[in-house]
Amino acid sequence: MLPIEIRPDIFWVGVNDRSTGLFEGLWPIDNCGISYNAYLIRDEKSALIDLSKEAFTDDFIRQVSALVDLSELDYVIINHMEPDHSGALTRLRELAPKAKFLGMAKAIAMMKDFYDVTENVEVVKHDQTLSLGRHTLRFLFTPLVHWPETMMTYVEEDQILFSCDAFGAYGALDGAIFDDEHRDLLGAEQDALRYYTNIVAAYSKNVLQAIDKVSAHPIAIVAPSHGLVWRKDPDRIIKLYQQWAKYATEPAEPGVTVLYGTMYRNTERAMNYALQSIHAAGVPLEVFNVSVEDPSYILPSLWTKRGLLVACPTYERAMFPAMVHALSIAEIKGVKNKLAAYMGSWAWSGGAKAVFDGFVERLNWQPVGSVEFNGSAKETDIQSVQQMAQQLAEACMQG
Ligand code: FEO
């Protein structure tokens, strides 16, 4: 894409990544891609805000060079040091030898750790300002959103918040970068939710603190480092992030996420009775087969729904491994504050329930019940499953 002017002399100079299969080596983006947004301000002094992933350095350099002579670039603002935004740093320093690299103290330390860079760098502090001429930058320290060095950069005259990963989303930018140009805004919000739960959610408390901090400033445009630039309705993405962040500590939406794994369909057959009971109670539910569904796509439901039904058999005296993987990712991402129930089959030994109990304890879930059965579920087992599912559904409606 060509550079896009988002305000006079302020340009989007990002790149699209449609070739990476797993973002961070973990999260599937092969069906949607991702953008690495960077921004350039032309003024008496010029400033580049964030960079790109190393593999896209050539594309990125071409974007910026179309607007400024890199050998005359004055500043590079490093909001965040994760290599999807700093990977072009080494090459850029070669091409822009006069440019001073600015970041919070931990970002400057990471420049040495990642790229062995120690010269022509400068530590900035929270609320410090930098005049470029007609534009004034204000640096807002927003630690742990989602690394300890992260900050946001605010342009006072234009009320633009360059928020880096915060308010970001999966999804390459298909020819347009603004929220008011996007033809499927609900789809973009779903991409933002998956991104939030995959990348940012573990630091939800810090997200709320960051939102408090930036809310002291009027915001006309939210310009993150991934996904859409929000100029028509910047409040929309801020409010969504705020709502999702609150789910870390407050009840989420009424609804049940059903995770199931099954070897010979004994657990699955019994689970079908549970689904009927939850549906009959009028409670929304989403069902995921953990053997085939990547946790990346499970996390949005887990995060936003109050209830969780884990349905899987015992395997080798422990829990079905694909379920352990899904729940372990949920644990890493801090999926707490859930009403949870377990059901599953065992053959010659139990074990899955004990593993489930461990997740309940560590994640502070509220257990609603459990049903285990030997082999296939019998009539009394099915009645127990139905009763437990109904209790789970009713508890979820009560919040
Ligand atoms: Fe988009 Fe945390 O880097």
Side-chain angles (χ1 to χ4, degrees):
M1 283 171 69
L2 296 166
I4 294 171
E5 193 165 35
I6 60 176
R7 293 282 295 158
D9 285 322
I10 302 179
F11 299 86
W12 173 88
V13 287
V15 295
N16 276 323
D17 177 356
R18 300 179 197 276
S19 52
T20 296
L22 296 173
F23 186 64
E24 292 187 343
L26 286 168
W27 314 106
I29 55 168
D30 44 356
N31 63 347
C32 63
I34 195 164
S35 68
Y36 308 116
N37 299 339
Y39 302 91
L40 178 76
I41 303 176
R42 284 194 309 206
D43 203 328
E44 292 165 26
K45 299 283 187 184
S46 53
L48 191 52
I49 300 174
D50 292 322
L51 309 175
S52 78
K53 192 174 170 181
E54 185 180 15
F56 294 83
T57 299
D58 287 350
D59 304 61
F60 172 66
I61 296 292
R62 199 173 304 122
Q63 288 276 64
V64 183
S65 299
L67 297 169
V68 290
D69 177 356
L70 278 174
S71 66
E72 297 298 322
L73 183 69
D74 295 291
Y75 296 109
V76 177
I77 312 301
I78 300 291
N79 281 327
H80 178 29
M81 272 297 293
E82 192 163 5
D84 54 332
H85 308 293
S86 67
L89 189 146
T90 303
R91 180 85 181 113
L92 190 74
R93 282 176 68 86
E94 292 167 1
L95 296 171
K98 291 187 190 167
K100 185 165 280 185
F101 284 62
L102 308 183
M104 289 287 152
K106 285 181 175 150
I108 300 300
M110 286 179 177
M111 276 184 222
K112 182 170 190 314
D113 298 339
F114 277 82
Y115 304 106
D116 204 21
V117 165
T118 54
E119 292 179 2
N120 221 9
V121 299
E122 185 175 315
V123 171
V124 295
K125 293 197 162 58
H126 173 65
D127 232 16
Q128 185 175 329
T129 58
L130 172 70
S131 175
L132 302 175
R134 300 179 306 282
H135 302 89
T136 310
L137 307 186
R138 183 177 290 277
F139 305 116
L140 304 171
F141 188 32
T142 51
L144 289 170
V145 183
H146 62 125
W147 277 22
E149 87 297 3
T150 44
M151 69 174 190
M152 300 186 195
T153 299
Y154 178 72
V155 182
E156 303 217 308
E157 293 77 5
D158 294 275
Q159 301 179 351
I160 303 178
L161 183 68
F162 296 106
S163 57
C164 206
D165 282 349
F167 314 126
Y170 289 138
L173 296 166
D174 293 335
I177 67 167
F178 296 110
D179 57 339
D180 52 285
E181 298 174 327
H182 201 274
R183 297 197 177 94
D184 178 17
L185 212 48
L186 286 179
E189 290 177 5
Q190 289 306 305
D191 285 342
L193 172 60
R194 187 164 72 93
Y195 174 85
Y196 182 85
T197 59
N198 291 186
I199 309 298
V200 185
Y203 299 99
S204 289
K205 186 178 91 179
N206 307 87
V207 169
L208 292 174
Q209 289 169 346
I211 289 174
D212 274 352
K213 206 176 261 187
V214 302
S215 296
H217 305 275
I219 297 170
I221 297 176
V222 171
S225 59
H226 302 290
L228 293 175
V229 173
W230 299 75
R231 68 177 178 187
K232 182 181 179 205
D233 193 1
D235 273 356
R236 175 70 186 161
I237 192 66
I238 295 173
K239 288 279 186 305
L240 282 172
Y241 260 64
Q242 191 170 39
Q243 176 188 338
W244 298 332
K246 285 182 178 173
Y247 291 159
T249 51
E250 296 177 11
E253 297 156 22
V256 177
T257 303
V258 180
L259 303 185
Y260 81 95
T262 195
M263 295 169 69
Y264 298 104
R265 300 192 57 238
N266 286 304
T267 297
E268 184 193 348
R269 281 192 198 95
M271 177 195 69
N272 283 325
Y273 293 99
L275 301 187
Q276 274 185 306
S277 298
I278 295 167
H279 181 74
V283 175
L285 76 165
E286 273 188 280
V287 183
F288 298 91
N289 180 348
V290 293
S291 295
V292 297
E293 196 76 73
D294 191 282
S296 173
Y297 293 95
I298 295 173
L299 281 169
S301 178
L302 272 181
W303 192 264
T304 55
K305 287 185 171 53
R306 183 83 175 94
L308 168 63
L309 174 61
V310 173
C312 70
T314 283
Y315 186 93
E316 311 288 28
R317 298 186 180 86
M319 181 179 269
F320 188 65
M323 186 65 77
V324 174
H325 177 61
L327 295 182
S328 297
I329 296 284
E331 182 172 0
I332 288 168
K333 293 298 165 186
V335 176
K336 296 180 179 167
N337 203 30
K338 300 293 163 195
L339 298 158
Y342 167 76
M343 56 174 290
S345 168
W346 57 276
W348 75 94
S349 160
K353 169 68 167 45
V355 177
F356 172 78
D357 288 344
F359 283 107
V360 166
E361 189 178 339
R362 292 192 300 279
L363 288 168
N364 201 25
W365 290 343
Q366 192 178 321
V368 173
S370 66
V371 180
E372 296 174 278
F373 45 88
N374 185 199
S376 60
K378 315 302 182 297
E379 186 57 37
T380 52
D381 302 318
I382 290 167
Q383 285 171 4
S384 299
V385 164
Q386 289 169 321
Q387 192 177 17
M388 180 182 73
Q390 190 176 342
Q391 282 172 357
L392 177 63
E394 286 170 359
C396 288
M397 290 304 278
Q398 291 159 13

